[in-house]
Amino acid sequence: MDWKEVLRRRLATPHNAPNRKKSEQELKDEEMDLFTKYYSEWKGGRKNTNEFYKTIPRFYYRLPAEDEVLLQKLREESRAVFLQRKSRELLDNEELQNLWFLLDKHQTPPMIGEEAMINYENFLKVGEKAGPKCKQFFTAKVFAKLLHTDSYGRISIMQFFNYVMRKVWLHQTRIGLSLYDVAGQGYLRESDLENYILELIPTLPQLDGLEKSFYSFYVCTAVRKFFFFLDPLRTGQYLNLDKDHNGMLSKEELSRYGTATMTNVFLDRVFQECLTYDGEMDYKTYLDFVLALENRKEPAALQYIFKLLDIENKGYLNVFSLNYFFRAIQELMKIHGQDPVSFQDVKDEIFDMVKPKDPLKISLQDLINSNQGDTVTTILIDLNGFWTYENREALVANDNENSADLDDT
């Protein structure tokens, strides 16, 4: 008989029941006492269930408060020791050289050109001799991942070694980045990443000629690009656009960006939705703007532009919102002496390109799934982009004629 049955019978059988009727709370208390007693006996004769709870390992540790200096220091030291241990688990240069020597020694003939190969049997032999640090790389899964079309069932030694090198480098980078995680929460804040990149600049040969006065611009640009595509430049152009040299861009200054053919309606939306200071845009906001326009095929960029086009904040684009932006394109066409284009034709073409689930609404996901998001957004916000799209067939024909002329010469 298990403890549940004992408990059921005990509760069902009155023992010295008092004359008065027990209250509901008293019955619950009695039930809990009996449950505790029989559960303890069932779990091995424990008299106190607290003893049982003590066997559960601790899984939550409260973060020390700012005024708990000693605990803060202890936590920082613990993290440093942990990262050092992780770093020691990685292959060093000597161990990588030894791995290359073993792979070369166990290559499996015949060679393909100058490419040394190794079969699975020799692959496992190298794994046994390479040491415990290399064990994670010598698995059937890794071998199968690198196995392509070799008729002997072998993999390239160079490809495998490069795979190991990349893994080691990625882990080294991860550990290096973790050192800048000041909060110790497993992520980098914008200021943390800025510190990392700033200290990285002197180690990058490509930036040897970069003046220190431009370090802050480079750091800001790199950080914004990371954050844009992971949540997801032209510094000189920003300075050229800033005509009054106040470090900010007004709507009029931003209108000269690129070919200077973006519509005022779209620029109005940029300044309505994006963070500005007294109606002007700072460098960080400008970088988000540039990254979105220069990478319109990317989901992060389309999300940025879609928010600007969704003037009613409904989560989709309808005929009204498309017409709202295209009217500005039509007005620019008149100003530049171009023949007007019917909105009805453009609207039908956009819906044909996107093929949304709802025939009257275009969602962000519809735009992404269509792989036409860059074309659609260009048509709606930039006269030059619309003209290029509208005359694409003539431009292609012209390019073909020019190519033919060059061939003739």
Side-chain angles (χ1 to χ4, degrees):
M1 184 184 301
D2 63 13
W3 66 270
K4 295 180 181 178
E5 181 61 21
V6 172
L7 177 60
R8 187 187 66 77
R9 292 189 179 187
R10 180 66 184 271
L11 291 173
T13 305
H15 292 282
N16 301 319
N19 293 330
R20 71 177 180 83
K21 188 176 180 181
K22 292 182 180 179
S23 68
E24 185 176 346
Q25 184 59 47
E26 286 175 325
L27 290 171
K28 286 183 178 180
D29 291 343
E30 184 180 83
E31 181 179 344
M32 180 56 68
D33 290 341
L34 287 169
F35 173 81
T36 302
K37 177 178 180 294
Y38 289 115
Y39 183 75
S40 298
E41 292 175 359
W42 179 70
K43 292 298 292 183
R46 296 186 180 91
K47 295 180 180 179
N48 192 333
T49 52
N50 287 334
E51 296 178 10
F52 171 68
Y53 296 144
K54 288 178 181 177
T55 63
I56 299 176
R58 186 173 180 180
F59 57 88
Y60 171 74
Y61 293 85
R62 177 182 64 85
L63 291 176
E66 292 183 5
D67 58 344
E68 295 176 318
V69 180
L70 185 60
L71 289 178
Q72 289 275 12
K73 292 292 183 184
L74 176 61
R75 189 164 183 272
E76 290 175 11
E77 187 64 24
S78 299
R79 287 184 63 246
V81 171
F82 171 76
L83 293 174
Q84 288 172 6
R85 186 173 76 248
K86 286 296 181 182
S87 183
R88 288 195 296 270
E89 291 174 1
L90 300 177
L91 295 168
D92 58 29
N93 287 336
E94 185 177 339
E95 289 166 328
L96 285 168
Q97 289 176 4
N98 180 58
L99 175 61
W100 176 256
F101 171 77
L102 288 171
L103 289 167
D104 186 56
K105 185 179 178 180
H106 288 80
Q107 61 177 279
T108 307
M111 293 182 65
I112 299 178
E114 297 182 357
E115 189 84 7
M117 311 292 285
I118 187 171
N119 63 17
Y120 188 60
E121 183 180 356
N122 287 341
F123 177 78
L124 293 179
K125 288 180 181 178
V126 174
E128 292 173 359
K129 297 178 181 179
K133 287 186 182 180
C134 293
K135 186 177 180 180
Q136 60 178 308
F137 302 115
F138 288 89
T139 64
K141 184 177 180 180
V142 171
F143 189 90
K145 186 183 296 185
L146 300 175
L147 182 63
H148 298 301
T149 57
D150 182 65
S151 56
Y152 296 95
R154 305 167 302 171
I155 63 173
S156 164
I157 287 177
M158 179 60 73
Q159 285 186 8
F160 173 71
F161 189 73
N162 286 338
Y163 171 84
V164 174
M165 289 279 287
R166 284 196 300 271
K167 286 291 186 181
V168 171
W169 179 80
L170 284 171
H171 281 94
Q172 285 175 338
T173 304
R174 174 67 183 270
I175 292 170
L177 285 169
S178 298
L179 293 172
Y180 290 82
D181 177 13
V182 177
Q185 294 293 298
Y187 57 81
L188 295 181
R189 299 167 300 179
E190 190 168 353
S191 58
D192 299 329
L193 194 56
E194 285 174 352
N195 291 332
Y196 172 75
I197 294 176
L198 184 61
E199 294 185 17
L200 193 65
I201 288 177
T203 68
L204 301 175
Q206 301 92 328
L207 300 179
D208 281 344
L210 185 66
E211 296 180 15
K212 287 192 175 181
S213 59
F214 281 92
Y215 276 19
S216 60
F217 283 103
Y218 178 83
V219 170
C220 186
T221 301
V223 169
R224 295 307 290 178
K225 195 162 188 176
F226 275 113
F227 274 86
F228 185 87
F229 284 105
L230 294 177
D231 187 60
L233 276 161
R234 302 204 303 245
T235 300
Q237 186 185 21
Y238 180 80
L239 297 176
N240 290 334
L241 291 174
D242 182 18
K243 294 299 181 182
D244 57 9
H245 304 294
N246 68 342
M248 311 280 276
L249 296 182
S250 65
K251 191 182 85 170
E252 193 277 328
E253 288 172 329
L254 185 63
S255 69
R256 292 192 292 272
Y257 170 80
T259 56
T261 53
M262 284 185 295
T263 67
N264 283 329
V265 169
F266 176 68
L267 291 173
D268 285 340
R269 287 292 296 153
V270 172
F271 279 81
Q272 287 170 6
E273 291 291 329
C274 298
L275 179 63
T276 57
Y277 303 88
D278 294 327
E280 294 199 314
M281 177 185 291
D282 71 351
Y283 185 59
K284 289 183 178 181
T285 306
Y286 166 77
L287 287 178
D288 284 347
F289 173 80
V290 172
L291 286 167
L293 293 188
E294 292 189 351
N295 299 275
R296 291 182 220 186
K297 290 183 179 293
E298 300 292 334
L302 286 175
Q303 183 176 18
Y304 176 100
I305 301 174
F306 186 88
K307 183 179 179 182
L308 302 177
L309 298 178
D310 182 14
I311 53 176
E312 298 178 287
N313 198 28
K314 290 184 175 180
Y316 59 81
L317 305 181
N318 53 20
V319 174
F320 174 80
S321 53
L322 297 181
N323 188 34
Y324 179 83
F325 285 96
F326 191 72
R327 276 186 304 176
I329 295 289
Q330 291 174 317
E331 290 173 6
L332 284 178
M333 294 180 74
K334 292 177 183 177
I335 293 172
H336 288 81
Q338 298 179 15
D339 294 332
V341 176
S342 166
F343 167 71
Q344 189 66 32
D345 294 340
V346 172
K347 181 260 296 181
D348 291 343
E349 198 159 350
I350 288 176
F351 274 90
D352 286 343
M353 282 191 288
V354 178
K355 295 180 175 58
K357 291 182 179 179
D358 187 319
L360 300 176
K361 301 174 183 177
I362 298 175
S363 68
L364 172 60
Q365 198 58 50
D366 291 330
L367 211 55
I368 294 172
N369 293 342
S370 71
N371 292 320
Q372 298 291 332
D374 57 324
T375 302
V376 171
T377 54
T378 299
I379 288 173
L380 296 173
I381 68 176
D382 188 340
L383 173 61
N384 185 61
F386 172 75
W387 186 89
T388 302
Y389 172 77
E390 188 70 6
N391 296 276
R392 59 194 182 282
E393 294 178 359
L395 292 173
V396 169
N398 188 52
D399 287 343
N400 290 337
E401 289 178 6
N402 291 337
S403 297
D405 292 340
L406 288 173
D407 291 339
D408 291 339
T409 58

